[in-house]
Amino acid sequence: MKNSLTKSLIYFREQIKAFDETVSSMTLSSLPYMLWGSLTAIAIVGSCIYGASLSLVLPTWKPTDGALWVLLSAGLAWFIFGPTLILVTKKNVFTCAHACMVTMAYGEGVLAVAAFANLIIAFNLPVSFNVSLFNFFMVFISNIVMALVLTLQMQAISVAWWKTLLTWVLALNGSGAVFFWLFR
């Protein structure tokens, strides 16, 4: 299987299916480390940029605090979600890891739009615009997009949609809410 960042993001269903079919014959040295490094960088940098952008529109926030808050809260939630997804779906750890990293990239795409909007808002804030509500809505949209992308990927490898979504809501959203509250 030929992996590339572009193919993994555009043809994510086909790519996860091909990955799952070949993962059992892969060795540790043949795993797509460059691709995974790129997807991990997207997740880390995207979370930090979005978190830092909150300081542009929320006067009491500092860029570093916002970046760390989003990075740690969301990042730790994924470390709860990943093993739970493996247990529930009984799929290979590398298959689930790949699906999760592709999923995160989609979420960061939505948050990149939100960060850009926060930059624009910071220079021209409408008087009656509720930036907190806007950012909550963008995080919600990011969550919906990621849940959809992950569900579609897992369906491509014969995992029932409801298993993926139930695990998503309970393990990722549940632990994420706890971490966001703890680190607030």
Side-chain angles (χ1 to χ4, degrees):
M1 179 183 81
K2 182 73 175 145
N3 291 303
S4 76
L5 182 59
T6 304
K7 282 184 180 177
S8 292
L9 293 175
I10 295 173
Y11 305 108
F12 57 85
R13 288 177 56 98
E14 294 83 358
Q15 289 290 298
I16 196 65
K17 189 172 182 179
F19 187 90
D20 191 54
E21 290 169 354
T22 59
V23 73
S24 61
S25 63
M26 288 183 187
T27 63
L28 285 178
S29 63
S30 66
L31 291 171
Y33 293 113
M34 291 295 291
L35 171 61
W36 289 354
S38 298
L39 290 167
T40 301
I42 289 169
I44 292 170
V45 172
S47 291
C48 289
I49 288 172
Y50 174 70
S53 81
L54 293 172
S55 68
L56 297 171
V57 293
L58 302 172
T60 60
W61 286 58
K62 294 183 178 93
T64 306
D65 294 344
L68 286 173
W69 181 64
V70 172
L71 180 65
L72 290 174
S73 300
L76 289 173
W78 280 97
F79 281 105
I80 301 294
F81 176 69
T84 307
L85 185 66
I86 294 162
L87 286 170
V88 169
T89 64
K90 310 229 183 319
K91 290 294 179 180
N92 182 286
V93 63
F94 297 123
T95 298
C96 289
H98 182 81
C100 287
M101 286 185 266
V102 168
T103 298
M104 284 186 262
Y106 273 87
E108 295 306 338
V110 174
L111 294 181
V113 171
F116 185 68
N118 284 338
L119 180 63
I120 292 170
I121 292 166
F123 289 106
N124 190 17
L125 184 64
V127 176
S128 63
F129 191 79
N130 185 330
V131 293
S132 295
L133 187 60
F134 166 76
N135 278 281
F136 178 82
F137 177 74
M138 292 304 289
V139 169
F140 177 76
I141 294 300
S142 174
N143 191 45
I144 297 298
V145 167
M146 288 188 295
L148 178 62
V149 168
L150 185 66
T151 299
L152 291 172
Q153 287 181 91
M154 299 309 281
Q155 277 185 317
I157 55 173
S158 303
V159 175
W161 66 267
W162 63 267
K163 277 188 182 181
T164 305
L165 286 179
L166 187 61
T167 306
W168 180 271
V169 169
L170 297 177
L172 186 72
N173 289 348
S175 65
V178 169
F179 289 128
F180 276 108
W181 180 77
L182 284 174
F183 295 129
R184 72 185 185 294

